[in-house]
Amino acid sequence: MHLPKKWWIGLPILAGLVYFAQDALTPQLEAAIRASVAARLSQAPDAIDRPQIKVAGRDVVLAGISLSPEAKRRLLAAIGVETPARLIVDATEPLTLARPFMLKLERQGGKATISGHLPPSGARERLAAQIAALGLEVTDAATYADGAPQNFAELAAFAAQRLAELDPASATISDATLAVAGEARSGADYDKALSALKAPPLGAGDFKIEISPPRVSPYVFSASLRDGVIALSGHLPTEAMRKEVVAKAAAAGAGAAV
């Protein structure tokens, strides 16, 4: 029997089915939105550092460190158009100003560590690639900050190159001050490091050097005179002592070639 006036009786049941269906689909919807937002974030690495995504229904909250206001503005606009998100809340924080702006590179064996501060201008990728090209395993623990010296790129590249010659090694940039310490891997590396450290990058401020020649065993030095020639061989601890020994040998040899 057809009772058209009783159609409303099924409304509570229908509403219940819709409610439970929507409740069951919400986690899937949130996961889909989170994935689409994360995919869009991966295309804009210069916008937000270490982004965090929170999704409630179709609403999205983005947190992290804002690297570039303009890049972030473009990113948020793209997320609004290209993803199912309904509301996008910007909870990011601005870059901190680092005083002093400090970067530290360290090497121990086949491993290198980056710590301190980096500017948000591709410096992280360039520095990691330069160190990895030396055959070292890189651990990056640096954070982005404002306040890098104007010649930061040159200072960082110069500091990274010293990791090729020293092990263990430490190269620190503090504003425009550069400090390098460590032990040379070989006599040739010692000479190469000393030569480079005599000509630091333009704009470098105070320059601190504490490097030592490689450890050798047995430690041998010899001098001999034959056919009017003084021959020096073996090891000496410093370049200054090398010059002093050559000068003394020349004086003692009364005109003999050294």
Side-chain angles (χ1 to χ4, degrees):
M1 183 178 181
H2 181 59
L3 297 174
K5 295 183 180 180
K6 300 293 184 177
W7 60 269
W8 52 268
I9 295 177
L11 282 181
I13 299 174
L14 179 61
L17 291 173
V18 171
Y19 174 83
F20 287 110
Q22 180 179 359
D23 189 56
L25 289 175
T26 295
Q28 300 178 28
L29 175 63
E30 291 178 346
I33 292 176
R34 183 178 292 105
S36 61
V37 171
R40 193 60 186 81
L41 279 167
S42 68
Q43 300 174 31
D46 59 338
I48 302 174
D49 180 38
R50 298 186 175 103
Q52 302 169 30
I53 307 170
K54 295 181 181 179
V55 182
R58 290 179 56 200
D59 298 340
V60 176
V61 178
L62 284 179
I65 303 298
S66 175
L67 301 179
S68 164
E70 179 58 26
K72 183 180 67 174
R73 183 192 64 78
R74 293 195 300 267
L75 171 65
L76 295 178
I79 290 176
V81 172
E82 301 173 14
T83 74
R86 175 180 57 190
L87 175 66
I88 305 168
V89 178
D90 180 7
T92 59
E93 300 177 2
L95 281 173
T96 57
L97 178 63
R99 284 290 182 261
F101 191 98
M102 182 175 291
L103 172 72
K104 188 171 186 179
L105 309 180
E106 296 176 282
R107 175 182 179 170
Q108 190 73 45
K111 298 183 178 181
T113 302
I114 304 172
S115 60
H117 309 119
L118 286 168
S121 57
R124 182 187 299 277
E125 293 75 16
R126 289 193 298 270
L127 187 59
Q130 183 180 4
I131 296 175
L134 302 177
L136 301 177
E137 178 185 336
V138 182
T139 298
D140 183 357
T143 59
Y144 287 116
D146 270 335
Q150 188 173 6
N151 60 334
F152 177 83
E154 292 77 13
L155 288 170
F158 182 87
Q161 189 56 41
R162 304 291 71 82
L163 301 186
E165 303 146 1
L166 308 175
D167 181 19
S170 173
T172 303
I173 299 170
S174 181
D175 290 336
T177 297
L178 181 60
V180 178
E183 180 180 313
R185 301 173 66 234
S186 68
D189 283 331
Y190 183 65
D191 292 339
K192 187 177 179 180
L194 285 180
S195 178
L197 292 168
K198 290 176 182 177
L202 291 175
D206 293 337
F207 201 42
K208 302 175 182 178
I209 306 171
E210 294 183 11
I211 65 172
S212 59
R215 297 177 184 272
V216 295
S217 181
Y219 197 96
V220 176
F221 173 79
S222 67
S224 62
L225 173 63
R226 183 176 181 180
D227 298 330
V229 176
I230 298 176
L232 307 177
S233 64
H235 307 99
L236 289 169
T238 65
E239 179 64 21
M241 183 171 288
R242 181 210 299 264
K243 293 178 179 178
E244 181 181 354
V245 169
V246 170
K248 288 184 176 180
V258 178

